[in-house]
Amino acid sequence: MKSTIKEKKFDWYYAVSQQVYDLLQIWECNIDQYKILIFEKSPARSKKSRKLLLQFVKKNEVELVYTMSGPAYVKFPVTHILGISNAYITHASWESFRLRGGFIKTIKYYFYALVQFYYSLKADYFIFQTNYAKDSFKKRAFIKEKKLTVIPNAYDSRVKDYFNLKNESTEVGKKELIRIFCPGAHYPHKGLQFIPEIIHELEELTDIKFLFILTLPKSKVLEKIEKEVELKKIKNRIENIGPYNYDQIISLLEMSDIIFIPSLLETFSASYLEAMCAQKPLVVANKPFAKDICKSYAYYVDLKKPKEVAAKFVEIFSIPAQNQSKTKLAEDILTEFGNQEDRFEKISRYLQEISKSSN
């Protein structure tokens, strides 16, 4: 990014993957070709890409570099502000690494995270999405507080506006079929592999019809879940709709009665805020990073205790979709974090501050 300090304006240059560029094309974002570098391979895996990135910065006399989500794997000759949203870098426990699989896979990914951590330290300033991530990274990296800041994730105004107009509140237990939406990718730390055992326990506790809805691609995690589903004979209690386009998020939230995000390792999932925008009950893993965001809006569960998780769902089945205190709390949390436009403004102001102090 090239800046004009006197005018306090930024002249933006971009370095993106081919996938991101294709998305920008769909969104009809017109960017001058000389202002954008498109990677065929990620700098994480390509020495050539790292070299091209460095050349791009020098050629355009860039004065400030901002990486949205790093590390960038490059030591830039100018001030570098690094956004870190990788929980393995900031606050992953050994237990989180063990979720990757056997001992060899655990050790392999642990060292991969160490490499990412090492390259992250090449930046000059750091942006985190939660205080928990920032404080955890600070302890690990021994970096001064003045180098760190928190700019949280944000919600999509379109989602919030839609559900504000809809403003419905229906008792969950009165539905003929309770749909429990579980948005999440095919990574073990997302905790989705615990759902079959929860369903098994839930069937023992209630006669109410329910359906867990997953969004997984073909993967080892999905294979494991399908195997458990067959073994426990609970196929009628779970459905995988596969990965979804973000344009579908409103309809998916609308058809859902409860949002379940069992992630055991996260920085700041936008799904938390989307559940609040939709004013739907939210069930999450009892982890500090989740409490940092969801506060008392969410219902917290221990995935290692499936009977207790099932009991919590039965409890939610019998209460209103949201009472007034929950709705007010959701509004307060959403106001605190802001929408995507607010987030952009916060980042821009921070870059302005760093730009001034670096010159």
Side-chain angles (χ1 to χ4, degrees):
M1 178 179 58
K2 189 176 180 181
S3 62
T4 306
I5 305 302
K6 290 181 180 180
E7 297 178 359
K8 297 183 180 179
K9 293 181 179 179
F10 290 129
D11 187 14
W12 296 89
Y13 290 75
Y14 307 88
V16 300
S17 67
Q18 183 64 55
Q19 293 88 340
V20 170
Y21 180 73
D22 292 342
L23 191 58
L24 293 175
Q25 294 292 96
I26 293 172
W27 290 346
E28 298 182 349
C29 297
N30 296 318
I31 302 172
D32 293 335
Q33 290 301 306
Y34 75 91
K35 285 190 172 184
I36 189 165
L37 172 65
I38 305 168
F39 294 120
E40 293 182 4
K41 294 183 179 179
S42 167
R45 302 181 182 279
S46 170
K47 186 176 180 180
K48 179 182 177 182
S49 294
R50 294 195 290 271
K51 185 178 180 180
L52 287 172
L53 180 56
L54 195 56
Q55 289 174 345
F56 185 70
V57 167
K58 292 178 178 178
K59 176 184 176 182
N60 293 292
E61 299 179 352
V62 169
E63 300 170 28
L64 194 70
V65 173
Y66 165 53
T67 302
M68 289 183 63
S69 182
Y73 298 94
V74 172
K75 176 60 178 175
F76 294 104
V78 295
T79 302
H80 180 202
I81 300 145
L82 177 67
I84 299 183
S85 57
N86 185 341
Y88 281 102
I89 296 175
T90 56
H91 57 270
S93 64
W94 181 246
E95 180 184 12
S96 299
F97 284 103
R98 288 180 63 187
L99 289 169
R100 304 295 303 191
F103 180 75
I104 299 299
K105 287 185 178 180
T106 299
I107 294 298
K108 183 178 179 180
Y109 202 81
Y110 179 77
F111 279 103
Y112 177 56
L114 283 179
V115 170
Q116 292 179 308
F117 180 78
Y118 166 76
Y119 277 105
S120 296
L121 297 179
K122 292 183 178 293
D124 302 292
Y125 295 89
F126 304 86
I127 296 176
F128 302 90
Q129 294 184 8
T130 64
N131 284 308
Y132 184 75
K134 178 193 71 119
D135 293 340
S136 298
F137 184 82
K138 180 182 175 182
K139 291 178 181 178
R140 293 182 176 188
F142 301 102
I143 293 178
K144 294 179 180 179
E145 182 73 24
K146 67 180 182 179
K147 298 282 188 179
L148 316 173
T149 195
V150 174
I151 300 177
N153 205 342
Y155 64 86
D156 187 331
S157 295
R158 294 172 300 174
V159 178
K160 187 173 185 293
D161 292 345
Y162 178 86
F163 286 101
N164 277 349
L165 290 173
K166 189 176 178 61
N167 194 26
E168 287 187 357
S169 181
T170 306
E171 189 172 326
V172 177
K174 289 184 178 180
K175 298 285 186 74
E176 290 185 9
L177 176 66
I178 298 174
R179 291 180 171 85
I180 304 166
F181 183 44
C182 312
H186 60 291
Y187 303 114
H189 66 267
K190 294 294 183 179
L192 298 169
Q193 65 271 25
F194 293 94
I195 288 178
E197 186 59 33
I198 294 170
I199 293 175
H200 177 71
E201 296 294 343
L202 193 49
E203 282 196 319
E204 297 294 318
L205 295 178
T206 183
D207 293 326
I208 295 175
K209 293 182 179 180
F210 60 87
L211 182 69
F212 283 76
I213 300 170
L214 311 184
T215 61
L216 294 173
K218 290 183 178 180
S219 57
K220 290 184 178 180
V221 169
L222 180 59
E223 289 175 5
K224 182 177 181 180
I225 291 173
E226 289 176 337
K227 185 177 180 180
E228 286 293 310
V229 166
E230 290 291 337
L231 186 64
K232 292 179 168 55
K233 298 179 180 180
I234 53 173
K235 196 171 183 179
N236 62 325
R237 301 296 194 185
I238 189 167
E239 178 184 356
N240 180 49
I241 62 174
Y244 62 92
N245 188 300
Y246 187 73
D247 290 339
Q248 300 173 275
I249 189 61
I250 289 178
S251 60
L252 289 171
L253 290 168
E254 189 172 27
M255 66 88 183
S256 306
D257 300 299
I258 298 171
I259 313 300
F260 183 33
I261 305 173
S263 180
L264 295 167
L265 182 65
E266 204 73 57
T267 296
F268 196 143
S269 171
S271 296
Y272 294 141
L273 300 186
E274 288 163 357
M276 296 180 201
C277 287
Q279 301 175 32
K280 298 295 176 82
L282 174 63
V283 183
V284 303
N286 188 6
K287 294 292 181 180
F289 61 80
K291 291 183 176 179
D292 199 14
I293 301 162
C294 303
K295 302 178 174 59
S296 59
Y297 180 87
Y299 299 90
Y300 296 94
V301 295
D302 183 348
L303 296 181
K304 292 182 179 179
K305 300 176 181 179
K307 286 186 179 181
E308 292 183 11
V309 179
K312 180 59 66 175
F313 276 110
V314 172
E315 177 188 329
I316 297 170
F317 289 172
S318 64
I319 64 175
Q322 287 305 342
N323 56 41
Q324 289 185 351
S325 63
K326 287 277 188 181
T327 302
K328 175 62 168 60
L329 180 57
E331 188 63 36
D332 290 344
I333 293 172
L334 293 172
T335 300
E336 175 188 345
F337 293 129
N339 58 32
Q340 291 295 341
E341 291 78 9
D342 295 328
R343 174 172 165 77
F344 175 76
E345 289 300 322
K346 291 173 185 175
I347 292 173
S348 294
R349 286 197 298 270
Y350 184 66
L351 298 185
Q352 288 279 4
E353 292 173 10
I354 300 303
S355 179
K356 290 177 182 179
S357 65
S358 300
N359 288 273

